[in-house]
Amino acid sequence: MRKVKVLLTLALIFFVWMIISGSAYAAEESLTLDQAIDLALKNSTQLKQDQFDIEKNTKIQKELYNSIENFSPLPYYSPEEASLTSNYKWAYYNTRLAEKKYEYDKNVVTAQAMQKYFDVLNAQNSLKLAELNERNESLTLSQILSKQKVGMATDLEVTQAKVALEKSKVSTTAAKATLENAYNSLNDYLDLEPGSRPNLVSNILYSKLENKGLDFYINKALTERLDYWAKEEAAEVSEQVVDFAEIWKVGDIESQKAFLDAAETRETVIRDVTKAYNDILNLEQTIATLEESLTMAKKALKTAEVQYAVGIITYTDKLSAETKVLQAQNALDTAIYQHRLAVTSFPLLAGLNSGAGSSNTQSDQNTQQ
């Protein structure tokens, strides 16, 4: 009996150890950007809902098709058959729309996962800079207090240094809170354990947009983007079901409105893609400028290190040069993250949000009749 109790105790200890070690491992394990995207796609409730919608609309479409097949062939449509035929065409449209929306939402989930991943990286960079600034202000205060003892610094200078140090501490506290919030948001989105702190990979590769010309991306968007596809296809279906409308004139007006709506959406797509295209090219120029700034800051730091070694400048001066390098690196990293996200989203998500391209209201009503 005693042996059984010992074995149970050991088993319990092992189980608890596995839980604790597993949580610690999850908190310390590296998480690449691709892994974060895979987790987001796997755990997305929106994508699960989209899959359900595809199954639901497919079922409705099949039921309507079977109902139409049960009618005897006649040279004309009966009112009931006309209604079913109209509803079937909208059901077929809704099934395809649900499939398109699933692909669109995969792009949205990918972009949002990237954004949250980059939010953590930016927050980490901001915290490093805030801590370095706080360290710099602390050293500055120490130097001023030393000078005050020998009459080389005034009370006002001491007060100003203390205020600067307190401000830097506030900034550090705020940066820590921002990082905490960014991690919490990432954990929620990826369905990670609360409090997890995976080590993110900050070395995000930068490559320019494979520039095939604006017209190429506009045509791609007009062919594949959900919002325009939905409006264009809805217009086509509206035209097809005009003859099945209870009042032909009403159906014809609805069809004309649908085509006008599609034309307006087409112009919106062109504007969105054009703006996003120019933004990416401008961002690439900005990145080139920031790379030059970082190179110059690193050269200045090397000079400062040599000057500090031979006693020309103080440690605080050298620390100031380190701060400028970190500032330049942070600015470059942020721009690269923005560029990576912009290129990934381009052109299919240009100007869109997660609610774009939802099911056409008229088509839903027709299907439910």
Side-chain angles (χ1 to χ4, degrees):
M1 184 67 181
R2 182 179 178 183
K3 186 175 181 181
V4 173
K5 288 183 178 180
V6 171
L7 290 174
L8 289 174
T9 301
L10 290 174
L12 180 60
I13 293 173
F14 177 76
F15 178 72
V16 172
W17 178 82
M18 286 292 291
I19 294 177
I20 295 174
S21 62
S23 299
Y25 178 74
E28 297 175 0
E29 184 180 11
S30 294
L31 180 68
T32 66
L33 179 59
D34 288 341
Q35 288 172 335
I37 292 172
D38 288 341
L39 280 173
L41 293 171
K42 177 183 177 181
N43 298 322
S44 172
T45 55
Q46 181 60 57
L47 294 181
K48 290 181 175 64
Q49 178 62 49
D50 289 344
Q51 291 172 325
F52 172 79
D53 290 340
I54 292 173
E55 294 174 1
K56 180 190 71 174
N57 284 302
T58 300
K59 181 180 179 181
I60 293 173
Q61 176 191 335
K62 289 181 178 179
E63 289 175 350
L64 287 169
Y65 180 82
N66 291 334
S67 297
I68 294 173
E69 286 291 293
N70 291 331
F71 280 91
S72 301
L74 294 173
Y76 59 88
Y77 284 103
S78 67
E80 184 180 0
E81 188 177 6
S83 177
L84 284 172
T85 302
S86 176
N87 287 344
Y88 170 74
K89 289 181 178 294
W90 280 117
Y92 178 64
Y93 164 81
N94 280 334
T95 299
R96 295 172 65 203
L97 179 60
E99 293 170 345
K100 288 278 187 179
K101 189 173 186 301
Y102 174 70
E103 294 302 320
Y104 163 76
D105 282 335
K106 284 204 297 187
N107 290 329
V108 171
V109 169
T110 297
Q112 290 181 345
M114 291 180 70
Q115 181 63 72
K116 292 180 184 299
Y117 192 94
F118 293 153
D119 284 345
V120 173
L121 292 179
N122 281 325
Q124 288 176 335
N125 287 343
S126 295
L127 178 57
K128 290 177 184 177
L129 183 59
E131 290 175 338
L132 187 57
N133 283 331
E134 182 180 340
R135 182 183 170 194
N136 197 358
E137 296 297 345
S138 179
L139 287 172
T140 299
L141 176 58
S142 297
Q143 290 176 349
I144 291 177
L145 288 173
S146 297
K147 289 179 180 180
Q148 185 189 40
K149 291 179 180 179
V150 294
M152 296 179 62
T154 65
D155 291 342
L156 177 59
E157 289 175 320
V158 172
T159 300
Q160 290 174 336
K162 288 181 177 179
V163 170
L165 177 58
E166 288 305 314
K167 285 183 178 180
S168 68
K169 289 181 178 179
V170 170
S171 296
T172 300
T173 300
K176 289 179 179 178
T178 299
L179 178 58
E180 182 75 11
N181 291 336
Y183 256 125
N184 289 339
S185 181
L186 179 67
N187 291 340
D188 289 342
Y189 200 71
L190 303 186
D191 199 24
L192 299 178
E193 289 294 326
S196 295
R197 293 295 179 269
N199 296 320
L200 306 192
V201 179
S202 59
N203 185 23
I204 303 299
L205 297 179
Y206 166 65
S207 59
K208 291 184 176 181
L209 173 70
E210 185 182 358
N211 197 339
K212 298 182 179 180
L214 178 58
D215 289 343
F216 170 84
Y217 296 111
I218 288 176
N219 290 332
K220 180 178 176 64
L222 291 174
T223 302
E224 301 178 25
R225 259 180 58 153
L226 174 63
D227 56 342
Y228 180 63
W229 181 93
K231 296 295 178 64
E232 186 181 41
E233 289 296 314
E236 294 290 342
V237 176
S238 296
E239 185 178 49
Q240 293 172 16
V241 301
V242 165
D243 292 335
F244 301 122
E246 293 182 8
I247 303 176
W248 183 89
K249 187 63 177 177
V250 173
D252 185 53
I253 292 174
E254 290 295 330
S255 176
Q256 293 180 39
K257 287 171 59 179
F259 276 103
L260 289 173
D261 196 15
E264 182 179 346
T265 302
R266 178 187 176 88
E267 294 303 314
T268 299
V269 169
I270 294 174
R271 286 197 302 271
D272 289 344
V273 174
T274 301
K275 181 181 183 303
Y277 176 80
N278 290 327
D279 287 346
I280 289 173
L281 296 185
N282 290 335
L283 191 53
E284 289 176 352
Q285 293 179 354
T286 299
I287 289 173
T289 301
L290 291 173
E291 286 175 335
E292 292 178 3
S293 298
L294 178 59
T295 299
M296 293 175 62
K298 287 181 177 179
K299 288 181 179 179
L301 175 58
K302 287 184 178 180
T303 300
E305 289 173 340
V306 172
Q307 291 176 333
Y308 173 71
V310 297
I312 298 177
I313 62 174
T314 65
Y315 182 76
T316 303
D317 294 328
K318 185 176 79 73
L319 199 59
S320 177
E322 291 178 6
T323 301
K324 290 179 181 179
V325 170
L326 187 55
Q327 288 174 332
Q329 184 68 64
N330 287 359
L332 177 59
D333 287 346
T334 298
I336 289 176
Y337 301 156
Q338 290 175 345
H339 181 272
R340 179 69 177 271
L341 181 59
V343 170
T344 300
S345 304
F346 183 74
L348 301 183
L349 298 185
L352 293 181
N353 56 50
S354 58
S358 57
S359 297
N360 177 276
T361 302
Q362 182 65 37
S363 67
D364 288 340
Q365 291 175 346
N366 287 333
T367 300
Q368 294 168 1
Q369 287 179 354

